[in-house]
Amino acid sequence: MRRILIPLLAACAAAGLAGTLYLVFYVTKLEQNLFFNQKIFYWHVPNWFMLFSMVFLCGGASIGYLVKRDPKWDDVAHAAGELAVLFGAIGLVTGSIWGKAAWGHWWIWELRLTTSLILWLTMLGYALVRRFAGPGSEPLCAGLAIFGMVNVPLVYFAVKLADKLGQASAHPKAKVVAQLDASMKGTFWLSVLTFAAVCALLFLVRIDAIRDARRLRAVRERGLDAGILEP
Amino acid sequence: MPGRALPTAPAADAVPASCSAAVGRRTTAPVGTLRLVAAVAGKDLKVELRSREILYTMALFAAVIVVVFSFSFVKDQKALVAAVPGVAWAAVVFAGTIGLGRAFEREREGDTMRALLLSPAPRLAIFAGKTVAIALLVVAVEAVVLPLCLLFFNVDLGAAVLDLVLVLVLGAIGFAIVGTVFAAMLLRIQSRDVLLPVVLYPILVPMIMSGTKATAAILAANDADAWFWIKFLAAYDCVFTIVALWTFEALVIE
């Protein structure tokens, strides 16, 4: 099953990336107000979609792990947490490029930007803990993911309320997707599907590696306990 | 470990029977749990007051931060009042992290956290007791930071200083709740000293943000905004108290 699925997803992702790039630059119309700058939106927004789905997958799997104590849930949370860092990084970079073109600044302290930066930092901390905390850190990682997930709405409302007392938000709202031209909308959703394929592909490959590493550790420990392996 | 545990096993059978009966009777009432919380907090504070190691190092560290920042923001031989909220909260959070790390390092050195968790006291009481002790330490640090900030930045608040005290106490409680969960989880983990601030600060962002906003509003004598942010800070404390109580039991497993 997985032998077919991974090459299939890889082919879909490659074709999708090439296809959306062609559509973005040669087929879709120029946006009325933003002109060429708007093109980055086809990559920027799907990446944030993937980040948020990976964060919620990570948080949900962490709750599952704490309830069931099954290492499978922990593997899912691990892979999802790492992918969240990756897609967040792409989203931040593409967002900065857009911000420089549209607002004249690489970064402003705006509602969505601040919230997503804090979320990304939380996930970066999560990835660091995964990498450096060593064995026995699974409950800590699960706790970190849950606290991070609960924190997102708090950060969002804190910044929103601070903004309300200050200036209005400059970032486009979610409803712009509904107002897109038909060709733009089609390209946008194709791009979302492409990044979903990239995300699923990376997730499957990563979770296999994580599971194999965990099994290898378990086998090694059993070997050490039985006295077959040298420490 | 097994070698040490086995010989005591028959005796251990008899002891918890009376022990858990006594504690079971006590913990059924909320008063009993409160007594356990006070016992854990009292133990931590008594250990600390004998050496005063954490208290002195935290207070000095916070004072140094305030001094360094206040001369970093000097203009025409006066420190900028606009920098007060940021300086005060950075000092509290940085010094708090030092105290937090050291308080749990002490438990680790004596392996006393295991003893605490093995005791028949509910995890909730241990968590609350440690949180109270950490919160009191942070409040003690704030008692150093606040006058220093007012002194170096030439601020005269009058009666509004009581609002600022309320903000700082709420911040100390929030810091202690989240910090205790994370420090307790990190207890058995490699490189816990560097990982603690890395994982703790992003979670503290809403607290630091509302704390600085409330402080700025109090300095600007804007009562409506100040109360708004004080309520937000209280909401933050409540949300993470609930999450911590839900998760502490599952997260801190020996």
Side-chain angles (χ1 to χ4, degrees):
Chain A
M1 176 64 191
R2 202 155 282 198
R3 278 207 184 151
I4 309 165
L5 197 58
I6 286 176
L8 191 70
L9 277 172
C12 286
L17 283 175
T20 47
L21 274 182
Y22 174 79
L23 288 174
V24 164
F25 286 111
Y26 293 103
V27 177
T28 53
K29 287 188 215 155
L30 275 186
E31 215 267 345
Q32 297 291 323
N33 302 314
L34 299 162
F35 302 115
F36 201 67
N37 301 336
Q38 183 264 347
K39 301 276 187 197
I40 206 163
F41 158 95
Y42 296 107
W43 272 44
H44 175 68
V45 182
N47 269 293
W48 284 117
F49 282 4
M50 292 309 120
L51 169 105
F52 281 105
S53 41
M54 285 300 107
V55 167
F56 281 108
L57 183 60
C58 180
S62 299
I63 294 174
Y65 175 72
L66 282 188
V67 174
K68 299 263 183 208
R69 294 275 160 186
D70 185 341
K72 273 183 201 154
W73 289 105
D74 189 54
D75 296 344
V76 172
H78 188 169
E82 286 181 352
L83 284 179
V85 175
L86 173 73
F87 288 111
I90 301 175
L92 283 174
V93 170
T94 51
S96 283
I97 295 170
W98 191 83
K100 182 68 183 166
W103 306 324
H105 302 286
W106 293 108
W107 186 263
I108 56 170
W109 290 103
E110 190 266 347
L111 171 59
R112 281 150 218 267
L113 278 76
T114 313
T115 311
S116 41
L117 179 66
I118 302 300
L119 177 59
W120 188 69
L121 283 179
T122 311
M123 296 319 290
L124 206 56
Y126 179 85
L128 276 182
V129 172
R130 279 285 180 193
R131 176 82 179 70
F132 295 114
S137 63
E138 292 85 3
L140 163 65
C141 295
L144 184 55
I146 293 169
F147 272 77
M149 207 168 58
V150 173
N151 203 32
V152 172
L154 281 173
V155 178
Y156 184 83
F157 285 115
V159 187
K160 186 172 187 165
L161 298 164
D163 261 9
K164 192 190 74 185
L165 311 167
Q167 76 284 13
S169 157
H171 192 284
K173 304 282 183 293
K175 63 172 185 275
V176 296
V177 173
Q179 296 162 351
L180 288 177
D181 196 83
S183 74
M184 291 160 109
K185 209 183 260 180
T187 309
F188 172 73
W189 286 113
L190 186 67
S191 184
V192 171
L193 280 180
T194 302
F195 276 99
V198 173
C199 183
L201 172 70
L202 291 174
F203 182 78
L204 285 179
V205 173
R206 191 68 193 112
I207 204 168
D208 276 353
I210 291 166
R211 192 191 304 118
D212 290 347
R214 175 167 58 75
R215 283 183 183 158
L216 198 61
R217 262 200 317 276
V219 169
R220 197 179 143 70
E221 265 163 36
R222 284 223 305 271
L224 284 172
D225 286 348
I228 304 166
L229 284 174
E230 295 288 323
Chain B
M1 259 303 127
R4 246 196 289 168
L6 274 176
T8 56
D13 251 343
V15 180
S18 60
C19 222
S20 61
V23 173
R25 198 170 56 241
R26 267 191 284 153
T27 49
T28 44
V31 183
T33 309
L34 280 182
R35 198 180 298 152
L36 285 172
V37 172
V40 174
K43 173 212 74 121
D44 274 10
L45 292 174
K46 197 181 278 175
V47 171
E48 174 52 33
L49 286 177
R50 281 192 186 141
S51 67
R52 287 184 285 273
E53 177 202 8
I54 298 177
L55 213 50
Y56 287 160
T57 46
M58 268 172 100
L60 182 62
F61 183 60
V64 168
I65 292 175
V66 172
V67 171
V68 167
F69 273 127
S70 56
F71 69 66
S72 312
F73 291 113
V74 169
K75 198 181 176 190
D76 301 331
Q77 296 196 335
K78 286 210 179 86
L80 293 172
V81 177
V84 171
V87 172
W89 284 87
V92 168
V93 170
F94 289 166
T97 315
I98 289 207
L100 198 59
R102 185 69 199 124
F104 278 86
E105 191 64 21
R106 204 178 260 164
E107 293 279 12
R108 204 186 62 84
E109 276 168 6
D111 216 1
T112 42
M113 193 66 188
R114 178 171 298 169
L116 260 184
L117 293 174
L118 281 174
S119 73
R123 292 270 161 99
L124 186 150
I126 295 170
F127 166 71
K130 297 224 81 88
T131 306
V132 168
I134 297 284
L136 286 174
L137 281 178
V138 176
V139 167
V141 169
E142 289 171 348
V144 175
V145 169
L146 180 59
L148 271 183
C149 278
L150 299 183
L151 177 72
F152 284 139
F153 289 88
N154 294 307
V155 185
D156 186 11
L157 276 179
V161 91
L162 289 176
D163 292 348
L164 206 48
V165 169
L166 176 62
V167 172
L168 286 169
V169 169
L170 283 174
I173 295 170
F175 178 88
I177 291 163
V178 181
T180 305
V181 176
F182 278 72
M185 284 194 292
L186 281 163
L187 206 59
R188 300 271 159 220
I189 300 296
Q190 297 163 17
S191 57
R192 68 192 85 76
D193 306 333
V194 284
L195 285 178
L196 179 61
V198 168
V199 298
L200 185 58
Y201 290 168
I203 308 294
L204 290 179
V205 162
M207 182 206 100
I208 299 170
M209 199 183 286
S210 47
T212 48
K213 295 277 179 197
T215 312
I218 291 168
L219 290 176
N222 185 344
D223 268 1
D225 277 10
W227 277 102
F228 176 82
W229 288 111
I230 288 172
K231 280 184 229 158
F232 190 93
L233 206 49
Y236 175 91
D237 289 0
C238 293
V239 168
F240 276 109
T241 306
I242 293 166
V243 179
L245 291 179
W246 266 349
T247 51
F248 189 76
E249 179 107 29
L251 295 176
V252 186
I253 282 196
E254 286 293 301

